[in-house]
Amino acid sequence: MNKPASVPEQFDAVVVGAGFSGLYMLYRLRQLGLSVKVFDSAGDVGGTWYWNRYPGARCDVPTTDYTFSFDPELEKEWTWSEKYATQPEILEYLRFVADRHELRSDIEFSTAVTAARWDEPAKQWVITTGGGREVRCRHYIMATGCLSVAKSPDIEGAERFAGPVYFTSRWPHEGVDFTGQRVAVIGTGSSGIQSIPLIARQASQLTVFQRTANFSIPAHNGPAPAETLRQLDEGRDAYRDAARWSRGGVPVEPTDVLAGAASEEVRRERFEAAWQQGELFGILNVFADQGVNPAANDIVAEMIREKIRATVNDPETAEALCPRGHYFGTKRPCLDTGYFETFNLPHVRLVDLRKEPIVSITEDGIETAGESFGFDAIVYATGFDAMTGALVGADVTGRDGLSLKEKWAAGPSTYLGLMTTGFPNFFMLTGPGSPSVLSNMAVSIEQHVDWVAGCLKDLRDKGLETIEPTELAEAGWNQHNQDCAAITLHPTANSWYMGANVPGKPRVFLPYIGGVGAYRQACDDVVTQDYLGFTRTGPGAVRCTDGVIRSMQPDVAMVMEFVNALGLPPMETLSAADARALMAATAENRPPGPEVGEVTDGVIPIPDGTLPYRLYRPAGPPEGPRPLVVYFHGGGWVLGNLDSDDPLCRDLCARSGAVVVSVNYRHAPEVRFPAAALDAFAAVQWADANAIELGGIPGQLAVAGWSAGANVAAVACQLARDAGGPRITGQLLICPAVDSDLTRPSYEENGDGYILTTALMRWFWDHYADPADRGDPRAAPLRGDLAGLPPACIVAADFDPLRDEGVAYARALEAAAVPVRLTRARGHTHTSVTMVDVVISGAPVRAEMAAALGDFFPAAEPQAHVS
Ligand code: N01
């Protein structure tokens, strides 16, 4: 019964949506003793399973996993009849849950929420429902689902068709009988692929209009998997907990098999096993690198295409059904039952819209560029305005009159996919920036609901009223989200994950791809750190611990985790010989770096003997001389050699198009300061004198180095200036050691736990130079005269103890009127930018280094052979 507008109903929380997430949210809020109202425009509970009633609709995560875990009794009472349950069975389950917990009494069905506005003075949300009724609440929670707003059929003439039109996402409750009809299905995503075989059973003619062929594997549906049932039997809690901390929300052990390293036999075996298993998380886990490495991905993709060709009789149709143009997994793969086989039926035909696009829908059919088709019915399986559609479409207005639609005009911006700045007490369940659609939704929903419930309880316990993310925290999370996606192949695809299926929608990777367990940890860490990145207010109180929850590049974090798990002895506890042996051993299995045209070893004569060098000449044209870069390896003047920095030298050579001469200077403690610096200068003099023989262009000589190598490169520049030559055109200093002061803030922040530690740096200095020498500019070039030095590019990594001295050197050079380019290696450690083909996020930093080298040689033609 509607109440008069003057006495608005008040609730602690209003929830929109009565699907999986809304139902559980209601349950949890009630447990807290909060007053809650749930609205849903549907006639009953179910959410996505209420609306998507098309023939063949099923879940495609095994239902034993796609299920609530919060209620052990419920788990005992409900048994799924199949591995992949049908839509009616899942809907029945959600009804059962609603009944069991008597949830319906707080749900108003057939009631759409049309607007919501934050009332700042009252610290309340004002919610307007369909009939103009207003209710007020402290917390507004959108449980509206990620795939709930159908994409409008952006096809010319769609409104003209006179016959019945069906959307898979809004299927008539009474079902549709296509018997004897000529039916068109447009769209071959999960909905199309599930429904086409069943529509084909009834229709007299079925024509499938395919714009993008999709990867699909057979579901092999049947009884619930015996192995899962066994594990659940043995320890339900342990199984559910493993799911919560897994990558996708189903306990699947991530493989460490790399496609390139596996034999053909192992590849086939792994692929066949996944194919036979018929589970998405299996086929996405054939190789550890299939999601990031194009070559690995191609291997899986081609094996799937082989299966399609082996299934579909007509070679032309088979070829058209073979997905091309996107990497496997970058668009949502599908599970099917007899999809490809359907195209062997005589009354089923595929129209490849890439060859023959739709010109228009007409009164009685569809006209393509090549043909006119007559139909009795058209089925649109054309997808959704995913992840943001329901949120921005709901007319949500936050503080200062800003609408969510306006705020997200360039793409969604969230903290943890849960909240967004400017919209206090507004929560999104499985919102953009959370694992959501990349995971088992049941697990992700429970995690979000539990987090929100915990948050509201904490507010209440502390007497606080509002919570909202800070701008810093939100920007940091958005960055982390995009960083996670950037190291995968995902951003290359025109997928709905990227918003690419809806014309005009900003192209942003929407879900969080860092994994369910990693995400849960981030959410937990936020709470442990007193709700890091949130501002919470109450009467007379403001609480805020501002900060960014994850700022390390995700692949760097993975490497750190791996290295820490090895439990290697700290280098500074070893002898120099043992430390060198350990460094060589850890480098043994790393990728070799890119191919270059030519690699030759030689020696440089110096007064005390010779220095070994290795020359890298780029592949391909132009023939003839190239600019020359003399490179010095890292290793604290103690470790390292021509092999240690070989992949990085190849990378620099391939990217910059310069000839790189890597020089092995003499090491401490055998030969101490200033030998390494003097060797570096001698090598530069030699390279300048022999530029032509080395394939270089006389006068185009730069130096480069990493860490201690950057130290001697910087010193060589100062010595060359003092000696009146040779002329050095630029210096590339990667994470340079340029001072002997170990007290800068970056030592405080990063001095422990990121491979190069303060203790190790002290060990290096002790081996290299007497304390009395450490202020000498040939040891600490930051303390020297910097006027008249060559232009510099300095790379400073966030998680490097040496970060601040690198930045200080850049500032000091600038002050001395030396042109400087300071490249911040965001989210990187001292070592990670050099990890070629291991740390993918380092590639853009190395591209910048190569660009800087190009700038040192204005007349040269830099070549980019590495992407
Ligand atoms: O939608 P989709 P869906 N002209 O966007 C095509 C989940 N789900 O409803 O790829 C011609 O995947 C479009 O072509 P293209 C699951 O997460 C789960 O099938 O854009 N064609 C594509 O082929 C899934 O990913 C289950 O070139 C047009 C298709 O329509 C998500 O929901 C079941 C077109 C749309 O595919 C969405 O699936 C069903 C046009 N103008 C869904 N516009 C389970 O099994 C679009 N298309 C649990």
Side-chain angles (χ1 to χ4, degrees):
M1 182 76 103
N2 290 0
K3 294 201 173 160
S6 55
V7 191
E9 295 159 275
Q10 307 242 2
F11 299 96
D12 292 319
V14 162
V15 178
V16 186
F20 261 93
S21 56
L23 290 178
Y24 182 44
M25 192 77 248
L26 170 58
Y27 171 84
R28 292 286 274 129
L29 294 177
R30 267 197 197 163
Q31 264 191 334
L32 292 176
L34 299 177
S35 59
V36 191
K37 176 63 78 183
V38 179
F39 293 112
D40 198 311
S41 56
D44 197 359
V45 299
T48 203
W49 300 106
Y50 176 88
W51 296 108
N52 288 269
R53 296 166 186 251
Y54 59 84
R58 290 174 185 274
C59 82
D60 59 6
V61 168
T63 336
T64 36
D65 296 283
Y66 185 77
T67 195
F68 281 128
S69 73
F70 70 88
D71 176 357
E73 291 305 310
L74 167 72
E75 286 212 61
K76 277 188 207 147
E77 282 180 31
W78 185 272
T79 307
W80 293 103
S81 68
E82 289 179 283
K83 175 179 168 189
Y84 297 112
T86 59
Q87 172 269 331
E89 186 173 351
I90 301 172
L91 184 58
E92 194 48 41
Y93 169 73
L94 291 172
R95 287 185 177 136
F96 177 73
V97 172
D99 292 342
R100 186 183 152 75
H101 292 289
E102 294 173 0
L103 297 174
R104 290 172 201 276
S105 56
D106 286 322
I107 308 175
E108 275 191 41
F109 296 108
S110 306
T111 308
V113 169
T114 53
R117 170 178 60 81
W118 174 247
D119 178 350
E120 177 71 23
K123 306 256 182 286
Q124 282 183 330
W125 282 95
V126 183
I127 313 294
T128 311
T129 67
R133 164 180 160 214
E134 281 191 355
V135 300
R136 286 180 162 263
C137 59
R138 172 66 37 92
H139 301 287
Y140 182 40
I141 303 168
M142 297 288 266
T144 40
C146 297
L147 296 156
S148 47
V149 173
K151 190 179 90 110
S152 61
D154 45 358
I155 301 176
E156 174 66 26
E159 69 295 338
R160 286 168 57 194
F161 186 66
V165 163
Y166 305 102
F167 284 81
T168 48
S169 55
R170 288 286 182 276
W171 203 256
H173 285 206
E174 62 282 9
V176 181
D177 185 358
F178 290 113
T179 306
Q181 294 188 15
R182 299 163 304 158
V183 181
V185 176
I186 303 176
T188 51
S190 301
S191 305
I193 282 177
Q194 284 186 331
S195 58
I196 284 164
L198 288 160
I199 295 174
R201 283 191 201 166
Q202 292 182 335
S204 63
Q205 273 179 38
L206 173 62
T207 310
V208 175
F209 292 85
Q210 169 193 278
R211 188 163 69 183
T212 306
N214 223 327
F215 290 99
S216 184
I217 69 162
H220 300 304
N221 201 11
E227 175 55 19
T228 310
L229 294 179
R230 188 190 61 75
Q231 290 183 38
L232 281 166
D233 252 12
E234 278 178 8
R236 190 167 291 269
D237 291 349
Y239 184 87
R240 297 287 180 225
D241 209 49
R244 291 182 192 115
W245 290 100
S246 67
R247 193 178 285 175
V250 176
V252 173
E253 192 59 42
T255 181
D256 57 5
V257 175
L258 299 172
S263 66
E264 177 61 15
E265 194 187 348
V266 169
R267 288 177 187 168
R268 293 246 161 230
E269 228 169 68
R270 292 191 58 77
F271 174 77
E272 245 346 285
W275 186 266
Q276 293 312 328
Q277 185 195 27
E279 292 184 20
L280 289 179
F281 288 118
I283 199 76
L284 289 165
N285 191 38
V286 177
F287 303 118
D289 50 347
Q290 70 189 59
V292 295
N293 176 350
N297 192 287
D298 282 345
I299 291 171
V300 182
E302 188 47 34
M303 288 187 191
I304 297 177
R305 287 191 284 263
E306 277 175 20
K307 293 281 189 189
I308 296 171
R309 288 188 208 106
T311 307
V312 180
N313 298 339
D314 173 43
E316 204 181 317
T317 307
E319 214 40 53
L321 286 165
C322 282
R324 301 201 182 271
H326 67 277
Y327 293 109
F328 171 62
T330 56
K331 289 180 83 136
R332 174 70 144 64
C334 307
L335 279 191
D336 71 88
T337 301
Y339 173 65
F340 292 111
E341 291 83 344
T342 302
F343 293 92
N344 293 334
L345 298 172
H347 67 293
V348 178
R349 179 174 165 192
L350 182 76
V351 175
D352 182 354
L353 298 179
R354 303 270 164 175
K355 289 193 179 147
E356 197 184 325
I358 295 177
V359 175
S360 177
I361 295 190
T362 61
E363 284 72 15
D364 56 3
I366 295 178
E367 212 175 286
T368 67
E371 202 171 336
S372 278
F373 298 82
F375 293 115
D376 302 311
I378 297 180
V379 174
Y380 289 99
T382 42
F384 299 88
D385 182 354
M387 300 213 67
T388 54
L391 296 167
V392 298
D395 194 9
V396 183
T397 306
R399 198 187 300 104
D400 304 324
L402 182 72
S403 75
L404 195 62
K405 194 172 180 176
E406 288 161 346
K407 179 175 172 185
W408 287 8
S413 170
T414 74
Y415 186 31
L416 303 170
L418 276 161
M419 298 196 80
T420 184
T421 310
F423 296 78
N425 294 1
F426 172 69
F427 297 88
M428 296 161 278
L429 300 182
T430 67
S434 75
S436 55
V437 290
L438 294 176
S439 68
N440 173 2
M441 285 299 284
V443 169
S444 287
I445 283 169
E446 284 195 337
Q447 187 259 336
H448 259 199
V449 168
D450 289 342
W451 194 96
V452 172
C455 170
L456 299 198
K457 178 177 182 307
D458 196 71
L459 284 176
R460 186 182 62 186
D461 292 351
K462 294 192 165 75
L464 298 167
E465 291 170 332
T466 72
I467 179 165
E468 181 186 344
T470 67
E471 282 177 15
L472 176 72
E474 185 164 308
W477 186 255
N478 290 334
Q479 184 66 65
H480 177 57
N481 215 29
Q482 296 311 314
D483 285 347
C484 289
I487 59 173
T488 72
L489 298 170
H490 270 280
T492 61
N494 287 326
S495 63
W496 61 256
Y497 297 136
M498 293 293 298
N501 65 327
V502 176
K505 190 166 171 172
R507 196 181 166 89
V508 177
F509 191 70
L510 298 167
Y512 176 73
I513 201 170
V516 162
Y519 173 79
R520 175 182 289 269
Q521 189 64 59
C523 292
D524 288 358
D525 289 352
V526 162
V527 174
T528 322
Q529 294 172 52
D530 195 25
Y531 284 87
L532 178 74
F534 284 104
T535 304
R536 292 176 296 163
T537 70
V542 177
R543 277 175 89 123
C544 179
T545 317
D546 206 357
V548 171
I549 188 65
R550 294 285 181 264
S551 47
M552 185 174 275
Q553 290 285 349
D555 48 357
V556 177
M558 276 188 256
V559 168
M560 292 310 312
E561 221 171 90
F562 177 76
V563 170
N564 290 337
L566 291 177
L568 299 173
M571 285 245 180
E572 66 273 16
T573 62
L574 305 177
S575 67
D578 286 348
R580 287 171 190 152
L582 178 64
M583 187 166 165
T586 53
E588 240 164 43
N589 293 323
R590 70 185 170 177
E595 287 284 327
V596 294
E598 186 188 346
V599 179
T600 46
D601 284 358
V603 290
I604 300 170
I606 56 165
D608 296 338
T610 55
L611 302 175
Y613 77 83
R614 182 169 295 164
L615 181 144
Y616 304 83
R617 191 178 165 76
E623 291 301 320
R626 305 281 192 126
L628 207 56
V629 177
V630 183
Y631 175 86
F632 301 100
H633 64 77
W637 307 280
V638 177
L639 316 172
N641 50 40
L642 297 182
D643 293 333
S644 61
D645 291 27
D646 187 73
L648 179 62
C649 288
R650 289 169 176 275
D651 195 79
L652 279 176
C653 169
R655 286 180 190 277
S656 69
V659 169
V660 174
V661 179
S662 172
V663 176
N664 197 11
Y665 44 93
R666 285 172 296 166
H667 293 149
E670 291 83 354
V671 189
R672 285 163 60 88
F673 170 84
L678 298 182
D679 285 358
F681 182 45
V684 173
Q685 286 174 307
W686 174 84
D688 180 61
N690 294 279
I692 293 174
E693 292 77 3
L694 295 170
I697 302 170
Q700 295 209 352
L701 173 80
V703 295
W706 168 52
S707 193
N711 169 283
V712 297
V715 174
C717 289
Q718 297 191 9
L719 296 177
R721 175 205 53 197
D722 295 345
R727 185 173 163 268
I728 299 174
T729 54
Q731 44 181 333
L732 168 63
L733 309 178
I734 307 163
C735 306
V738 282
D739 197 10
S740 47
D741 173 5
L742 273 53
T743 63
R744 289 193 163 80
S746 54
Y747 271 97
E748 288 295 307
E749 288 168 33
N750 309 315
D752 196 14
Y754 303 118
I755 300 179
L756 178 67
T757 62
T758 306
L760 182 57
M761 209 53 214
R762 196 167 289 124
W763 186 83
F764 284 145
W765 275 110
D766 289 346
H767 278 75
Y768 182 48
D770 292 341
D773 290 330
R774 293 181 197 175
D776 186 317
R778 292 172 305 167
L782 179 60
R783 304 191 188 193
D785 170 15
L786 306 188
L789 289 176
C793 170
I794 294 178
V795 179
D798 281 354
F799 292 92
D800 183 359
L802 306 187
R803 178 196 68 204
D804 292 350
E805 63 197 74
V807 173
Y809 200 54
R811 301 278 173 260
L813 285 168
E814 230 167 38
V818 175
V820 182
R821 167 175 181 157
L822 176 61
T823 295
R824 305 299 293 245
R826 191 175 47 72
H828 277 274
T829 63
H830 185 73
T831 47
S832 61
V833 281
T834 69
M835 294 181 176
V836 176
D837 293 339
V838 175
V839 172
I840 297 171
S841 63
V845 182
R846 292 194 304 277
E848 275 196 55
M849 295 180 199
L853 286 176
D855 289 347
F856 295 155
F857 310 119
E861 292 172 40
Q863 310 273 302
H865 295 294
V866 176
S867 58

